[in-house]
Amino acid sequence: MAHAYEALLAEVLIDEARLQRRISELAEQINRDYADCDDLLLLCILKGGVMFLTDLSRKIHIPHMIDFMAASSYGVGARQSSGSVRIDMDLRMDVQGKHVLVVEDIIDSGLTLSFVIKTLENREPASLKLCALLNKQSRREVEIELDYVGFDIENKYVFGYGLDYDEKFRNLPFVGVARGDIPPDA
Ligand code: 5GP
């Protein structure tokens, strides 16, 4: 029987083995960079970052905490950021004095992440670094310096491995391009 996602999938962009290899490399880098740190907090931006966070966390050997935050831009469709971002769910931990590493699924315009950064900076973490699995550099509207990047990708609508297609298929173990490069509500 054909899987339901197959009708929506143009191609597998990054298969499971490649994803996991790259995540291991990122974790090794993080293990080195934070080797002497005993106050590391991995802050996952929901919902898209959740698969990446759980795989990355299991590959990081130094003791660390995890917490979650949900943010969204609103007012327009899936493809366009409106520039208005809100925090839908705040994290529970106090970040003051902690070394915070933000874990995101994908950076597109950068508006969501830049709002999250401003919010966190006001809370005085000891340090704040950014880790994104996917980076669509050509879509950037605000400048953001990413400390760790899994893959630079073209401007295509992707889903799987945490990223949704109409809120579904986040559970796929690979990142795929949507057929016709079309987001669900276009
Ligand atoms: P930004 O604020 O950087 O424009 O948007 C980031 C958010 O937009 C991501 O966290 C993700 O939820 C969503 N997004 C951007 N590009 C894609 C994409 O190609 N596929 C999916 N499923 N979501 C995307």
Side-chain angles (χ1 to χ4, degrees):
M1 204 180 81
H3 293 285
Y5 68 80
E6 283 173 11
L8 304 169
L9 182 70
E11 56 164 333
V12 173
L13 187 66
I14 310 166
D15 67 20
E16 186 173 1
R18 216 174 134 218
L19 270 176
Q20 294 302 327
R21 260 201 316 276
R22 185 69 189 122
I23 294 167
S24 296
E25 288 171 1
L26 291 175
E28 271 173 37
Q29 218 180 321
I30 292 165
N31 282 327
R32 279 197 301 275
D33 294 351
Y34 289 90
D36 300 321
C37 171
D38 60 2
D39 241 349
L40 172 61
L41 169 63
L42 298 189
L43 177 55
C44 173
I45 308 300
L46 295 171
K47 303 170 194 172
V50 72
M51 303 292 172
F52 181 35
L53 180 275
T54 54
D55 282 339
L56 186 68
S57 171
R58 280 178 286 191
K59 291 174 184 201
I60 293 177
H61 304 308
I62 50 176
H64 60 278
M65 301 160 267
I66 61 172
D67 206 343
F68 301 88
M69 191 173 188
S72 55
S73 54
Y74 55 97
V76 284
R79 209 39 182 315
Q80 228 69 49
S81 277
S82 62
S84 308
V85 181
R86 68 171 172 230
I87 305 292
D88 296 319
M89 189 194 92
D90 209 342
L91 74 166
R92 302 184 74 169
M93 281 181 183
D94 183 2
V95 301
Q96 192 176 28
K98 294 192 177 71
H99 292 275
V100 178
L101 179 58
V102 176
V103 177
E104 254 279 39
D105 54 352
I106 188 166
I107 315 301
D108 193 46
S109 69
L111 291 167
T112 308
L113 191 58
S114 81
F115 185 80
V116 167
I117 293 166
K118 278 193 209 106
T119 305
L120 292 172
E121 273 172 347
N122 287 334
R123 299 176 188 180
E124 302 176 336
S127 69
L128 183 60
K129 286 192 178 186
L130 311 171
C131 177
L133 180 67
L134 306 173
N135 182 32
K136 284 187 193 170
Q137 189 65 43
S138 64
R139 294 262 306 160
R140 203 66 97 250
E141 288 175 33
V142 287
E143 206 182 312
I144 290 185
E145 216 169 296
L146 295 170
D147 300 282
Y148 307 93
V149 178
F151 302 88
D152 286 300
I153 65 166
E154 283 176 47
N155 178 21
K156 291 190 169 160
Y157 194 82
V158 292
F159 68 103
Y161 197 70
L163 293 133
D164 74 307
Y165 189 99
D166 209 9
E167 283 301 327
K168 300 191 189 82
F169 306 117
R170 294 185 193 272
N171 57 322
L172 297 176
F174 56 82
V175 174
V177 178
R179 203 176 275 273
D181 179 29
I182 294 172
D185 67 348

